[in-house]
Amino acid sequence: MKAYQPARGTRDLYGDEILAQKFVTDGMHHVAHCYGYGEIITPIFEFTEVFARGMGEVTDVVSKEMYTFNDRGGESITLRPEGTAGAARALVSNGLAQDLPLKVYYIGPMFRYERPQKGRYRQFYQAGVELFGVDTPNADVEVIALANSFLKKVGVKGKITLEINSLGDVESREEYKKALLEYFKGYEENLSEDSKRRLHTNPLRILDSKEECDKVICENAPKMNDYLNEFSKNFFDEVLKGLDALEIEYKVNSKLVRGLDYYRHTVFEFITDELGSQGTVLAGGRYDDLVSELGGPKITGVGFASGVDRLALLLKETPNKQRPVAVIPLNDEYKYQALKIADDLRAEGVFVDMAFNGNVGKRFKKANKANAFKAIVVGGDEFDRGNVVIKDLDSGNQKEVSIKEISKEI
RNA sequence: GCGGGUGUAGCUCAGUUGGUUAGAGCGCCAGUUUGUGGUUCUGGAUGCCGUGAGUUCGAAUCUCAUCACUCGCCCCA
């Protein structure tokens, strides 16, 4: 029979890898809790329209990367490609706008039909937060601070830098787009093929093109910053001041833009130099119209999403595994007594490893392989006296201990 | 969707100009050890050489296709 492989871009998580993923998600649970964010679990699939409306019809994610299918009832269903739209929809569906601000975080799989690479999968995991209903810059600051704490907590190796920019409000953005379009049209001939296309789809994108010919042209392109209106400018300044106050280092990158249509004002990315072109490890920003697009009231939001798989790849070392206590019957005669002792310890919350077979020597070997730090030997004269032998597997020392005292001795 | 690289044991890889029974290290199992592990020592199992076709007397080796992985582009976390 043919051995099956997982479908392209998917993989099985187990062993050390899942420990790394769990370390990342545990960090998220912990940090989000400290900032007062509650967990939200939204469905893994939604009506296609939720994502199409929320993210913008022309974005690449919507137009060519979604896992979309018709269910048996004929509804167009899409596996969620990101978390924000679903969270916004949940807010609307459940009337959560009654009690603002709403602070939520989520952790779970997302799906995009893309060519897989290192740190990029078709089923991948994101951990993100959303803060709804605060339209002042301190919301942006809090979310970025949370992101910063989260990355610190996870303790990833390599250099991670925060880049930040403002896209301004709708008015500023439109002004800027116009100026940019005009500028690039003068150089259309010299733009890369990709950028010629972007000129019509998303001119802002040209700014962070990796093509040399585009970079040269972008040197003298109009700067977003010069097109921010008074309000947008003040907003951005306030955000930066907040970051200064928190001593969070950042780099203003006027060429930083985002792929999804809903972003306004603040956009930011935490980038590592260790993952090649998949260097973005956490990214987010402010969005103003997403909730109303989905049929809710006009509520603003700020949030970010982080790539759990990418962060797991960056961990300095695999998190320490807890070491078990091994319970070893001296011979078959004592197997039930040993089992009872193991079970009692487990009931007390002790991590107990017990081999399923083998003589004493074999069981010690297995205990060693399981990286046990103590072995409890059950049987013989000692057992008749109501005792067991506890051996420290690191030092090799062992002593006789009353069965009742076992949990005190380990 | 586009371009480059790679597919040999569970893992990391070697395999000469095509030549008959395909190798190493690690890991795994067993013995050394029927009241005591980690180090040794000895033995053992494991491969449709990614898959399919072609060239050839003969293919892990050459050609094509296909699938998967990987690196970059697009895009994105």
Side-chain angles (χ1 to χ4, degrees):
Chain A
M1 196 181 105
K2 172 189 163 196
Y4 284 102
Q5 291 185 309
R8 177 171 234 198
T10 66
R11 71 225 162 102
D12 304 307
L13 285 172
Y14 57 90
D16 285 348
E17 244 178 311
I18 208 161
L19 285 181
Q21 301 262 135
K22 257 191 84 64
F23 183 76
V24 173
T25 54
D26 285 351
M28 183 53 144
H29 282 297
H30 180 261
V31 174
H33 173 75
C34 292
Y35 280 79
Y37 287 67
E39 184 169 10
I40 183 169
I41 299 181
T42 66
I44 277 174
F45 57 85
E46 302 263 359
F47 293 124
T48 300
E49 208 173 323
V50 170
F51 302 114
R53 290 191 69 90
M55 299 166 72
E57 306 272 0
V58 299
T59 56
D60 276 44
V61 171
V62 170
S63 61
K64 58 183 207 197
E65 292 176 1
M66 296 203 307
Y67 272 94
T68 298
F69 57 94
N70 290 326
D71 68 11
R72 285 163 192 261
E75 301 281 6
S76 181
I77 295 295
T78 293
L79 302 183
R80 62 183 187 190
E82 55 102 48
T84 304
R89 194 234 76 226
L91 178 153
V92 175
S93 315
N94 300 293
L96 302 178
Q98 293 302 308
D99 189 15
L100 295 175
L102 177 67
K103 297 157 69 162
V104 295
Y105 75 98
Y106 59 85
I107 294 170
M110 306 292 166
F111 305 84
R112 285 182 202 171
Y113 192 86
E114 294 184 281
R115 184 84 174 251
Q117 286 177 43
K118 193 171 212 64
R120 170 190 284 184
Y121 307 95
R122 288 185 172 176
Q123 174 173 338
F124 60 104
Y125 294 79
Q126 285 191 334
V129 314
E130 310 293 346
L131 166 49
F132 292 102
V134 181
D135 43 22
T136 49
N138 51 354
D140 307 49
V141 172
E142 175 170 294
V143 165
I144 294 174
L146 198 168
N148 190 252
S149 303
F150 167 56
L151 293 178
K152 227 186 261 174
K153 175 87 187 167
V154 170
V156 294
K157 69 184 173 194
K159 206 175 63 185
I160 292 194
T161 51
L162 165 60
E163 299 196 350
I164 188 167
N165 192 25
S166 172
L167 301 175
D169 55 17
V170 181
E171 182 189 298
S172 307
R173 193 169 170 175
E174 284 311 311
E175 277 300 302
Y176 180 55
K177 233 180 195 166
K178 240 186 274 170
L180 210 54
L181 211 57
E182 199 150 312
Y183 173 80
F184 281 132
K185 273 199 173 133
Y187 298 91
E188 188 165 357
E189 286 308 304
N190 302 324
L191 286 171
S192 67
E193 284 308 311
D194 281 324
S195 288
K196 278 178 193 159
R197 178 177 52 78
R198 291 181 182 119
L199 204 50
H200 304 290
T201 56
N202 191 353
L204 294 185
R205 268 280 162 207
I206 300 177
L207 291 173
D208 66 356
S209 167
K210 283 161 191 133
E211 296 285 341
E212 251 334 289
C213 53
D214 294 337
K215 280 183 178 169
V216 174
I217 297 173
C218 289
E219 284 285 306
N220 297 313
K223 295 268 187 292
M224 180 76 232
N225 220 271
D226 301 330
Y227 287 80
L228 293 182
N229 56 24
E230 196 61 22
F231 176 77
S232 299
K233 208 167 170 42
N234 287 337
F235 195 101
F236 192 38
D237 286 345
E238 279 296 306
V239 173
L240 298 186
K241 263 189 232 164
L243 295 181
D244 289 337
L246 295 176
E247 294 171 12
I248 295 172
E249 283 181 39
Y250 59 85
K251 195 178 110 197
V252 174
N253 177 358
S254 61
K255 297 191 175 90
L256 180 67
V257 295
R258 313 254 49 234
L260 309 181
D261 275 0
Y262 52 62
Y263 286 107
R264 304 277 180 271
H265 293 291
T266 316
V267 292
F268 60 92
E269 290 187 0
F270 285 83
I271 301 167
T272 173
D273 53 359
E274 301 245 338
L275 287 180
S277 62
Q278 269 70 249
T280 301
V281 112
L282 184 155
R286 169 172 284 276
Y287 43 91
D288 281 354
D289 301 325
L290 179 57
V291 177
S292 53
E293 272 294 318
L294 295 172
K298 240 187 147 26
I299 293 171
T300 63
V302 202
F304 71 75
S306 66
V308 174
D309 313 86
R310 290 183 183 178
L311 287 170
L313 276 173
L314 286 176
L315 291 190
K316 282 198 189 82
E317 51 213 43
T318 46
N320 288 339
K321 285 180 210 160
Q322 205 193 336
R323 301 178 69 185
V325 172
V327 173
I328 299 175
L330 202 49
N331 54 49
D332 244 24
E333 215 179 299
Y334 297 97
K335 67 179 177 185
Y336 293 118
Q337 288 91 330
L339 195 60
K340 178 78 169 96
I341 286 170
D343 208 51
D344 287 347
L345 285 172
R346 285 165 171 165
E348 286 181 54
V350 179
F351 175 20
V352 177
D353 178 81
M354 191 166 161
F356 291 99
N357 54 41
N359 59 26
V360 180
K362 178 113 334 196
R363 284 170 186 266
F364 263 93
K365 270 189 184 163
K366 285 180 177 166
N368 204 60
K369 204 164 60 185
N371 196 27
F373 69 108
K374 298 266 197 219
I376 298 173
V377 184
V378 181
D381 299 342
E382 295 91 333
F383 191 79
D384 295 340
R385 289 194 291 271
N387 296 341
V388 294
V389 170
I390 297 183
K391 178 168 186 173
D392 185 308
L393 291 174
D394 292 327
S395 65
N397 301 330
Q398 59 181 48
K399 62 177 171 180
E400 203 173 320
V401 172
S402 153
I403 291 174
K404 294 187 185 71
E405 308 277 297
I406 293 176
S407 52
K408 277 185 215 153
E409 292 290 333
I410 54 178

